[in-house]
Amino acid sequence: MTSPSIIDVLNSQFGINGRLHFELGEGELPMAKITTEQATAVLSIYAGHVLSFVPNGSDDLLWVSQEAIFQSGKAIRGGIPVIWPWFGPHPNDSTKSSHGFARRQMWSVKASMVDENGRVSLTLGLTENEASKAVWSHDFDLELVVTVGHVLTVKLKTTNSGDVPFSYTAALHTYYNISHISQVVIHGLENGAYLDNLEAHASKQQVGFVRFDEEVDRIYIDTAADCHIEDEGHKRTIVVEKSGSQSTVVWNPWIEKAKRMSDFGDNEYQEMVCVETANAGNEIITLQPEETAVMTLTISERKA
Ligand code: TA6
């Protein structure tokens, strides 16, 4: 009698007939496949990583590189990487991986449910472990609650489960699927102050809507605003709503940086844009023991 596989255990404990099942996907990593009356979604349990959200009759709202690497210890290029507990380079140790460790570890499945409206929720978790302790000394309880209906809601809950305060920065580093970067206009950040990552975090101010004709890498600060990604080519606007986030990061690598990334196709900069729900730059969150902070992202589509 062979012992049940991780997939068998997940399906028996958390599977929901016709709504949620688990299977091995790319890189033999455990994936959750969610099907509702309104949309489908795919999540990688590894990295706590939403990969796809497809409202019925629409194109995927999320983008994943054709060159993405699905391998333990590596970050998946696309979808919604969970950037935690530091955004960007480690604040004082360049030997530590950029954008924290949460997107490079196996998470656990904690709960699943269908609500009265047919929305399916899946809760994934991550707590301190030997690998995290090697780069960050604190005890923590991280939860990702993903709810799939006609909109996608992603809640990132951070709890300080230790006995000393800790500070962190974070992002839901979302890659959105667009028709062509020249067709996209981002509304919601007009007149906003931002730090330009291409000029050593120089402070600047947004003039008008955000458009793209070169590499863009900006942390918009002090903004709780929703963003609308208007995409003429796909004849839709992707609506990005948030709470518990005071920064929005906008990134497109453009031509030269795209060529330098091994897990990113040379021309793929044309079909994606990152609008990231974050607390980054000078938006540092400090939690006392037993305190919890929640950052929420809601993604929806509005057809033209
Ligand atoms: O969010 C923008 C950014 O910080 C860019 O500077 C770029 O590095 C991007 O994240 C991707 O980072 P990654 O570590 O996933 O290659």
Side-chain angles (χ1 to χ4, degrees):
M1 171 76 173
T2 55
S3 57
S5 71
I6 174 71
I7 295 301
D8 295 337
V9 171
L10 287 173
N11 279 317
S12 66
Q13 281 188 350
F14 301 105
I16 302 172
N17 195 26
R19 289 285 179 262
L20 166 62
H21 78 274
F22 298 86
E23 61 186 53
L24 291 181
E26 295 255 16
E28 295 293 294
L29 295 174
M31 301 283 170
K33 301 266 180 117
I34 294 175
T35 303
T36 73
E37 298 297 323
Q38 298 96 357
T40 63
V42 178
L43 291 79
S44 167
I45 312 307
Y46 168 71
H49 198 125
V50 182
L51 296 169
S52 170
F53 171 62
V54 186
N56 291 349
S58 294
D59 291 322
D60 204 328
L61 271 64
L62 302 179
W63 175 87
V64 176
S65 171
Q66 295 294 316
E67 312 296 328
I69 298 168
F70 291 82
Q71 183 184 320
S72 184
K74 298 280 189 187
I76 301 170
R77 179 70 64 194
I80 309 179
V82 174
I83 307 301
W84 193 93
W86 62 83
F87 181 91
H90 186 276
N92 46 44
D93 181 347
S94 60
T95 65
K96 294 177 179 173
S97 60
S98 171
H99 283 337
F101 54 78
R103 64 173 180 165
R104 299 170 185 268
Q105 292 203 4
M106 183 61 74
W107 291 46
S108 65
V109 178
K110 296 182 73 175
S112 64
M113 65 165 283
V114 185
D115 71 14
E116 65 284 358
N117 298 309
R119 288 178 298 221
V120 173
S121 284
L122 183 63
T123 300
L124 306 180
L126 183 70
T127 57
E128 73 282 350
N129 53 65
E130 192 179 333
S132 72
K133 286 280 192 178
V135 293
W136 202 64
S137 64
H138 299 290
D139 292 347
F140 64 89
D141 191 334
L142 205 53
E143 259 193 7
L144 192 82
V145 185
V146 180
T147 303
V148 179
H150 72 283
V151 305
L152 174 74
T153 298
V154 180
K155 284 186 187 294
L156 181 65
K157 296 181 178 179
T158 299
T159 296
N160 179 349
S161 53
D163 49 19
V164 295
F166 68 57
S167 298
Y168 70 98
T169 51
L172 293 170
H173 191 299
T174 312
Y175 289 72
Y176 292 97
N177 175 30
I178 57 170
S179 59
H180 193 282
I181 193 65
S182 63
Q183 303 263 327
V184 160
V185 178
I186 298 178
H187 300 240
L189 298 169
E190 302 84 276
N191 306 314
Y194 66 88
L195 307 176
D196 190 339
N197 201 27
L198 303 177
E199 292 183 30
H201 275 188
S203 294
K204 298 186 180 178
Q205 184 173 18
Q206 178 62 34
V207 177
F209 301 132
V210 181
R211 292 179 169 86
F212 301 84
D213 58 11
E214 59 185 350
E215 182 179 358
V216 169
D217 191 349
R218 304 170 183 169
I219 303 175
Y220 289 83
I221 58 177
D222 303 326
T223 173
D226 299 340
C227 285
H228 288 196
I229 304 169
E230 184 185 357
D231 182 352
E232 179 59 36
H234 275 164
K235 300 211 177 316
R236 72 178 180 188
T237 292
I238 299 177
V239 179
V240 181
E241 299 169 273
K242 66 174 190 174
S243 63
S245 154
Q246 282 303 111
S247 323
T248 293
V249 181
V250 176
W251 177 56
N252 185 281
W254 211 248
I255 300 166
E256 293 315 315
K257 184 152 192 181
K259 286 177 184 167
R260 295 198 300 270
M261 294 189 286
S262 58
D263 61 346
F264 193 104
D266 288 357
N267 296 321
E268 288 188 323
Y269 72 94
Q270 297 174 7
E271 58 190 54
M272 53 66 68
V273 66
C274 282
V275 177
E276 304 160 36
T277 303
N279 286 301
N282 49 13
E283 298 293 352
I284 298 168
I285 308 288
T286 297
L287 292 181
Q288 298 303 317
E290 302 313 312
E291 203 176 3
T292 295
V294 182
M295 180 160 70
T296 302
L297 163 65
T298 299
I299 303 172
S300 57
E301 176 189 57
R302 191 176 295 163
K303 290 191 189 292

